[in-house]
Amino acid sequence: MTSDTSQTLGHRAEAAPPRSGGDDAPGLRPSILDPLFAPARGLPGVGPKIAPLIEKLLGSEERPARVADLLFHLPQSGVARPLCGSIRDAPTGEPVTLGVTVVAHRPPGLGKRAFRVLVEDGTGDISLVFFGMPRGRIEKMLPVGSHRYVSGRIDLWDGTRQMVHPSRILDEAGLANLPAVEPIYGATEGLTSRVISRIVHGALDRLPVLPEWQDPSYLARNRFPPFAEALRIEHRPEEAPPPPVEGQA
């Protein structure tokens, strides 16, 4: 979460006029806010299996989770996976994205658990390592001879480069849709950060353009964006936040 937009949202929350009757009293609420108070279970991607998990994460006994609850469930951090020019130049220990060609499948032998897929580019090769994933699924994602973009962290094992369970395996179309920074959300069992991110994007599409209630000169002086834009920046960051300073939360 970036400091500027965090301050924007915080200052606006402090400046918002109080309302009587509670958040869920529609008769006392301007109609422009109705989309924000709609049930989150009505958003795209929230089916019968996901809805109870959204309620567990953001709802309560008093009221179900709302679109506004998702919008204010801000990312805790973000991961950038820059596209590296080559396997040879890719750093170890950091998230990266590589364009590779699938060379060979190496199923686990007797006494071994890992399924390895050898991939290469013009500068070298690397093993993609999978534990407990069905062979058919791996072969479908990474057919021999195909060109794929794999995203994950490179580690050294016994002197060779490997990427254990890549977080993304993409074709050209998938790469075009890969965000510059993947937001990381607080989640719950059965509901991953990536699923939350997809649902939040549906919530952002329902975000109304609200009349500005902050003083224009104050916003200009502090370079704060409009409220809706601030929320979109939080959920769709262009840069990963800096790593936390050691010793600080």
Side-chain angles (χ1 to χ4, degrees), residues 196-224:
I196 293 173
S197 179
R198 289 200 297 266
I199 298 170
V200 166
H201 280 202
L204 287 171
D205 290 339
R206 300 191 180 187
L207 183 61
V209 178
L210 300 174
E212 186 53 64
W213 62 89
Q214 275 283 14
D215 178 62
S217 61
Y218 174 82
L219 295 179
R221 184 168 64 252
N222 290 279
R223 298 183 179 179
F224 286 155

Short mmCIF file of all heavy atoms in Angstrom, two decimals, residues 196-224:
data_model
loop_
_atom_site.label_atom_id
_atom_site.label_comp_id
_atom_site.label_asym_id
_atom_site.label_seq_id
_atom_site.Cartn_x
_atom_site.Cartn_y
_atom_site.Cartn_z
N ILE A 196 -8.98 -13.34 -4.52
CA ILE A 196 -9.46 -12.07 -3.96
C ILE A 196 -9.20 -10.93 -4.95
O ILE A 196 -10.06 -10.07 -5.16
CB ILE A 196 -8.79 -11.78 -2.61
CG1 ILE A 196 -9.24 -12.80 -1.57
CG2 ILE A 196 -9.13 -10.37 -2.12
CD1 ILE A 196 -8.50 -12.71 -0.25
N SER A 197 -8.04 -10.93 -5.56
CA SER A 197 -7.69 -9.88 -6.51
C SER A 197 -8.68 -9.84 -7.68
O SER A 197 -9.12 -8.76 -8.10
CB SER A 197 -6.27 -10.09 -7.03
OG SER A 197 -5.91 -9.10 -7.96
N ARG A 198 -9.05 -11.00 -8.20
CA ARG A 198 -10.00 -11.05 -9.32
C ARG A 198 -11.37 -10.50 -8.89
O ARG A 198 -12.02 -9.78 -9.64
CB ARG A 198 -10.14 -12.48 -9.83
CG ARG A 198 -8.92 -13.00 -10.58
CD ARG A 198 -9.29 -14.17 -11.47
NE ARG A 198 -9.77 -15.30 -10.68
CZ ARG A 198 -9.00 -16.31 -10.27
NH1 ARG A 198 -7.71 -16.31 -10.55
NH2 ARG A 198 -9.51 -17.31 -9.59
N ILE A 199 -11.80 -10.85 -7.69
CA ILE A 199 -13.10 -10.38 -7.21
C ILE A 199 -13.07 -8.88 -6.97
O ILE A 199 -14.02 -8.14 -7.27
CB ILE A 199 -13.50 -11.14 -5.93
CG1 ILE A 199 -13.65 -12.63 -6.25
CG2 ILE A 199 -14.80 -10.60 -5.38
CD1 ILE A 199 -13.81 -13.50 -5.01
N VAL A 200 -11.96 -8.38 -6.42
CA VAL A 200 -11.82 -6.95 -6.16
C VAL A 200 -11.91 -6.16 -7.46
O VAL A 200 -12.50 -5.07 -7.50
CB VAL A 200 -10.50 -6.65 -5.43
CG1 VAL A 200 -10.16 -5.16 -5.47
CG2 VAL A 200 -10.57 -7.12 -3.99
N HIS A 201 -11.37 -6.70 -8.54
CA HIS A 201 -11.46 -6.00 -9.82
C HIS A 201 -12.92 -5.82 -10.24
O HIS A 201 -13.29 -4.80 -10.81
CB HIS A 201 -10.68 -6.75 -10.89
CG HIS A 201 -9.21 -6.50 -10.82
ND1 HIS A 201 -8.37 -6.69 -11.88
CD2 HIS A 201 -8.43 -6.06 -9.80
CE1 HIS A 201 -7.12 -6.38 -11.52
NE2 HIS A 201 -7.16 -6.00 -10.26
N GLY A 202 -13.75 -6.81 -9.93
CA GLY A 202 -15.17 -6.67 -10.20
C GLY A 202 -15.81 -5.61 -9.33
O GLY A 202 -16.70 -4.87 -9.76
N ALA A 203 -15.33 -5.51 -8.08
CA ALA A 203 -15.84 -4.47 -7.18
C ALA A 203 -15.43 -3.09 -7.66
O ALA A 203 -16.21 -2.13 -7.57
CB ALA A 203 -15.32 -4.72 -5.76
N LEU A 204 -14.22 -2.96 -8.18
CA LEU A 204 -13.76 -1.66 -8.69
C LEU A 204 -14.61 -1.19 -9.86
O LEU A 204 -14.82 0.01 -10.04
CB LEU A 204 -12.29 -1.75 -9.11
CG LEU A 204 -11.27 -1.84 -7.97
CD1 LEU A 204 -9.89 -2.16 -8.52
CD2 LEU A 204 -11.23 -0.54 -7.17
N ASP A 205 -15.09 -2.13 -10.66
CA ASP A 205 -15.94 -1.76 -11.79
C ASP A 205 -17.27 -1.16 -11.33
O ASP A 205 -17.94 -0.46 -12.10
CB ASP A 205 -16.22 -2.98 -12.67
CG ASP A 205 -14.97 -3.45 -13.41
OD1 ASP A 205 -14.04 -2.64 -13.57
OD2 ASP A 205 -14.93 -4.64 -13.81
N ARG A 206 -17.65 -1.41 -10.09
CA ARG A 206 -18.91 -0.89 -9.56
C ARG A 206 -18.70 0.36 -8.72
O ARG A 206 -19.66 0.89 -8.14
CB ARG A 206 -19.61 -1.96 -8.73
CG ARG A 206 -19.94 -3.21 -9.54
CD ARG A 206 -20.86 -4.13 -8.79
NE ARG A 206 -21.16 -5.33 -9.58
CZ ARG A 206 -22.06 -6.23 -9.22
NH1 ARG A 206 -22.75 -6.08 -8.09
NH2 ARG A 206 -22.28 -7.30 -9.97
N LEU A 207 -17.48 0.82 -8.64
CA LEU A 207 -17.18 1.99 -7.82
C LEU A 207 -17.74 3.24 -8.50
O LEU A 207 -17.32 3.60 -9.59
CB LEU A 207 -15.66 2.12 -7.65
CG LEU A 207 -15.13 3.24 -6.78
CD1 LEU A 207 -15.65 3.11 -5.35
CD2 LEU A 207 -13.60 3.23 -6.79
N PRO A 208 -18.69 3.93 -7.86
CA PRO A 208 -19.28 5.12 -8.49
C PRO A 208 -18.32 6.31 -8.42
O PRO A 208 -17.40 6.35 -7.60
CB PRO A 208 -20.52 5.38 -7.65
CG PRO A 208 -20.20 4.83 -6.30
CD PRO A 208 -19.31 3.63 -6.56
N VAL A 209 -18.52 7.26 -9.31
CA VAL A 209 -17.78 8.53 -9.26
C VAL A 209 -18.47 9.40 -8.22
O VAL A 209 -19.60 9.85 -8.42
CB VAL A 209 -17.76 9.21 -10.63
CG1 VAL A 209 -17.03 10.55 -10.54
CG2 VAL A 209 -17.10 8.31 -11.66
N LEU A 210 -17.80 9.62 -7.10
CA LEU A 210 -18.41 10.34 -5.98
C LEU A 210 -18.06 11.83 -6.04
O LEU A 210 -16.94 12.18 -6.44
CB LEU A 210 -17.93 9.75 -4.65
CG LEU A 210 -18.24 8.27 -4.42
CD1 LEU A 210 -17.57 7.80 -3.14
CD2 LEU A 210 -19.73 8.05 -4.37
N PRO A 211 -18.97 12.67 -5.62
CA PRO A 211 -18.62 14.09 -5.50
C PRO A 211 -17.48 14.26 -4.50
O PRO A 211 -17.45 13.59 -3.47
CB PRO A 211 -19.93 14.73 -4.99
CG PRO A 211 -21.00 13.74 -5.29
CD PRO A 211 -20.36 12.39 -5.24
N GLU A 212 -16.53 15.13 -4.83
CA GLU A 212 -15.39 15.34 -3.95
C GLU A 212 -15.81 16.14 -2.72
O GLU A 212 -16.47 17.17 -2.84
CB GLU A 212 -14.27 16.08 -4.69
CG GLU A 212 -12.99 16.21 -3.89
CD GLU A 212 -12.53 14.88 -3.37
OE1 GLU A 212 -12.20 13.99 -4.17
OE2 GLU A 212 -12.54 14.71 -2.13
N TRP A 213 -15.45 15.63 -1.53
CA TRP A 213 -15.85 16.33 -0.31
C TRP A 213 -14.66 16.99 0.40
O TRP A 213 -14.84 17.73 1.35
CB TRP A 213 -16.58 15.38 0.65
CG TRP A 213 -15.77 14.22 1.13
CD1 TRP A 213 -14.97 14.17 2.25
CD2 TRP A 213 -15.69 12.92 0.55
NE1 TRP A 213 -14.40 12.93 2.38
CE2 TRP A 213 -14.82 12.13 1.35
CE3 TRP A 213 -16.26 12.33 -0.59
CZ2 TRP A 213 -14.52 10.80 1.06
CZ3 TRP A 213 -15.96 11.01 -0.86
CH2 TRP A 213 -15.10 10.27 -0.06
N GLN A 214 -13.46 16.71 -0.08
CA GLN A 214 -12.30 17.39 0.49
C GLN A 214 -12.10 18.75 -0.17
O GLN A 214 -12.51 18.97 -1.31
CB GLN A 214 -11.04 16.54 0.32
CG GLN A 214 -10.84 15.49 1.41
CD GLN A 214 -10.31 16.10 2.70
OE1 GLN A 214 -10.33 17.31 2.88
NE2 GLN A 214 -9.84 15.25 3.61
N ASP A 215 -11.43 19.64 0.55
CA ASP A 215 -11.13 20.96 0.01
C ASP A 215 -10.19 20.83 -1.18
O ASP A 215 -9.12 20.20 -1.07
CB ASP A 215 -10.47 21.81 1.10
CG ASP A 215 -10.09 23.18 0.58
OD1 ASP A 215 -10.99 23.92 0.18
OD2 ASP A 215 -8.87 23.48 0.57
N PRO A 216 -10.54 21.38 -2.35
CA PRO A 216 -9.70 21.23 -3.55
C PRO A 216 -8.27 21.72 -3.36
O PRO A 216 -7.33 21.11 -3.85
CB PRO A 216 -10.44 22.05 -4.61
CG PRO A 216 -11.85 22.08 -4.15
CD PRO A 216 -11.79 22.10 -2.66
N SER A 217 -8.09 22.82 -2.64
CA SER A 217 -6.73 23.33 -2.44
C SER A 217 -5.91 22.39 -1.57
O SER A 217 -4.70 22.23 -1.78
CB SER A 217 -6.79 24.73 -1.80
OG SER A 217 -7.42 24.68 -0.53
N TYR A 218 -6.58 21.73 -0.61
CA TYR A 218 -5.88 20.76 0.23
C TYR A 218 -5.42 19.57 -0.61
O TYR A 218 -4.29 19.09 -0.47
CB TYR A 218 -6.82 20.30 1.34
CG TYR A 218 -6.27 19.18 2.21
CD1 TYR A 218 -5.39 19.46 3.25
CD2 TYR A 218 -6.62 17.86 1.98
CE1 TYR A 218 -4.89 18.44 4.04
CE2 TYR A 218 -6.13 16.83 2.75
CZ TYR A 218 -5.26 17.12 3.79
OH TYR A 218 -4.75 16.11 4.56
N LEU A 219 -6.29 19.08 -1.50
CA LEU A 219 -5.92 17.95 -2.36
C LEU A 219 -4.77 18.33 -3.29
O LEU A 219 -3.83 17.55 -3.49
CB LEU A 219 -7.13 17.50 -3.18
CG LEU A 219 -8.31 16.93 -2.40
CD1 LEU A 219 -9.43 16.56 -3.36
CD2 LEU A 219 -7.89 15.71 -1.60
N ALA A 220 -4.86 19.53 -3.87
CA ALA A 220 -3.81 19.97 -4.79
C ALA A 220 -2.49 20.14 -4.06
O ALA A 220 -1.43 19.75 -4.58
CB ALA A 220 -4.23 21.27 -5.46
N ARG A 221 -2.53 20.70 -2.88
CA ARG A 221 -1.30 20.95 -2.11
C ARG A 221 -0.61 19.64 -1.74
O ARG A 221 0.61 19.54 -1.76
CB ARG A 221 -1.64 21.75 -0.86
CG ARG A 221 -0.42 22.14 -0.03
CD ARG A 221 -0.78 23.16 1.04
NE ARG A 221 -1.72 22.63 2.02
CZ ARG A 221 -3.01 22.98 2.11
NH1 ARG A 221 -3.51 23.86 1.26
NH2 ARG A 221 -3.79 22.46 3.04
N ASN A 222 -1.39 18.62 -1.44
CA ASN A 222 -0.82 17.33 -1.05
C ASN A 222 -0.72 16.33 -2.19
O ASN A 222 -0.29 15.20 -2.00
CB ASN A 222 -1.68 16.72 0.08
CG ASN A 222 -1.55 17.46 1.37
OD1 ASN A 222 -0.59 17.26 2.12
ND2 ASN A 222 -2.50 18.34 1.66
N ARG A 223 -1.16 16.76 -3.39
CA ARG A 223 -1.11 15.91 -4.58
C ARG A 223 -1.87 14.60 -4.37
O ARG A 223 -1.41 13.52 -4.76
CB ARG A 223 0.35 15.63 -4.99
CG ARG A 223 1.12 16.90 -5.36
CD ARG A 223 2.52 16.57 -5.81
NE ARG A 223 3.25 17.78 -6.19
CZ ARG A 223 4.51 17.79 -6.61
NH1 ARG A 223 5.18 16.64 -6.73
NH2 ARG A 223 5.10 18.92 -6.93
N PHE A 224 -3.02 14.70 -3.72
CA PHE A 224 -3.85 13.53 -3.50
C PHE A 224 -4.76 13.32 -4.72
O PHE A 224 -5.38 14.26 -5.22
CB PHE A 224 -4.72 13.70 -2.27
CG PHE A 224 -3.97 13.59 -0.96
CD1 PHE A 224 -4.45 14.19 0.18
CD2 PHE A 224 -2.79 12.86 -0.88
CE1 PHE A 224 -3.78 14.08 1.38
CE2 PHE A 224 -2.11 12.74 0.31
CZ PHE A 224 -2.60 13.36 1.45
#
